Amino acid sequence: MDIIYQRRSIRKYLDKPVEKEKLVEIIRAGMAAPSSENEQPWFFMVIDDKDILHKIPEFTWSAPVLKKSPCAILVCADVTYAKDPEDFWWVQDCAAATQNMLLEIEDQGLGGVWIGIHPEKDFVDGVKHLLNLPEQVVPFSLISLGYKGKIKEPTDRYYEERVYYNKWGEEY
Ligand SMILES: Cc1cc2nc3c(=O)[nH]c(=O)nc-3n(C[C@H](O)[C@H](O)[C@H](O)COP(=O)(O)O)c2cc1C
């Protein structure tokens, strides 16, 4: 699938808003992800308020991109949807949703980048407070996105020395 290799982290955007129809399709792709026991614990928040976007890098040092993003989508989980909230399967569910969304972003002709929020406590607490998330909702990632202001080459990171056959150390 070409789109897998074409997807790169894009942190520079044109000054052009992303249409709501595209954002809905991106979130639909997120909700199509596999989840443990099909629990689908995820919720999504579209953020295009510049005051909010500009505040996030004040406590999430790895997110300066949000100072120039037209919008971002928060991926979060309501842990009460999990049979055992302590088991942390929701983390993998949200990661699968985030990757699906990045692929859909590329397919829509847009560019995006995954900004990790969970498990960095300061990031999680800051996002929860800023966006009024209820106690049981944990922010997992933010996806910054927009029309690409930079084109990157596709990647191929296949390393055959990382692949074994039946037993560790056996060449495939
Ligand atoms: C779990 C996770 C957290 C990430 N967090 C950030 C981040 O906070 N800020 C950022 O600019 N990029 C972040 N990235 C993007 C990575 O830096 C990027 O995927 C990696 O350098 C590979 O580049 P590529 O996406 O262009 O293939 C994150 C990626 C993952 C998977």
Side-chain angles (χ1 to χ4, degrees):
M1 230 204 306
D2 289 348
I3 213 94
I4 290 178
Y5 305 100
Q6 283 159 8
R7 181 222 57 83
R8 297 293 314 280
S9 292
I10 299 296
R11 301 181 178 86
K12 211 170 164 203
Y13 312 101
L14 303 181
D15 187 16
K16 179 179 171 185
V18 178
E19 298 83 350
K20 183 171 180 184
E21 301 73 49
K22 293 198 170 197
L23 292 165
V24 169
E25 286 313 302
I26 292 160
I27 293 169
R28 189 188 306 281
M31 291 188 190
S35 61
S36 171
E37 302 204 44
N38 201 18
E39 284 170 343
Q40 303 171 52
W42 39 57
F43 281 76
F44 303 84
M45 188 186 291
V46 176
I47 307 165
D48 65 1
D49 180 319
K50 292 286 183 298
D51 288 341
I52 295 175
L53 290 173
H54 292 183
K55 271 193 192 119
I56 295 171
E58 290 174 13
F59 51 83
T60 304
W61 54 262
S62 63
V65 62
L66 294 177
K67 290 187 189 148
K68 28 187 190 137
S69 302
C71 73
I73 303 174
L74 174 73
V75 180
C76 48
D78 181 332
V79 296
T80 62
Y81 279 58
K83 288 192 185 68
D84 178 2
E86 300 297 310
D87 66 16
F88 288 102
W89 290 113
W90 65 264
V91 174
Q92 291 160 70
D93 303 338
C94 285
T98 303
Q99 177 66 2
N100 266 16
M101 293 164 77
L102 289 169
L103 294 176
E104 179 65 27
I105 286 168
E106 180 67 32
D107 199 46
Q108 294 277 346
L110 303 163
V113 58
W114 177 329
I115 296 163
I117 301 298
H118 179 86
E120 191 70 42
K121 190 177 181 315
D122 291 350
F123 299 0
V124 169
D125 292 347
V127 169
K128 278 190 86 143
H129 180 70
L130 182 67
L131 303 178
N132 287 337
L133 303 188
E135 183 58 32
Q136 76 278 11
V137 174
V138 186
F140 172 76
S141 66
L142 270 161
I143 301 174
S144 163
L145 74 151
Y147 281 89
K148 289 180 188 176
K150 179 176 179 164
I151 305 293
K152 288 189 178 175
E153 290 300 310
T155 52
D156 181 355
R157 300 183 183 128
Y158 185 80
Y159 299 116
E160 61 181 22
E161 65 274 21
R162 295 278 187 104
V163 183
Y164 295 135
Y165 188 52
N166 290 325
K167 286 197 172 141
W168 187 266
E170 294 296 320
E171 203 176 302
Y172 184 53

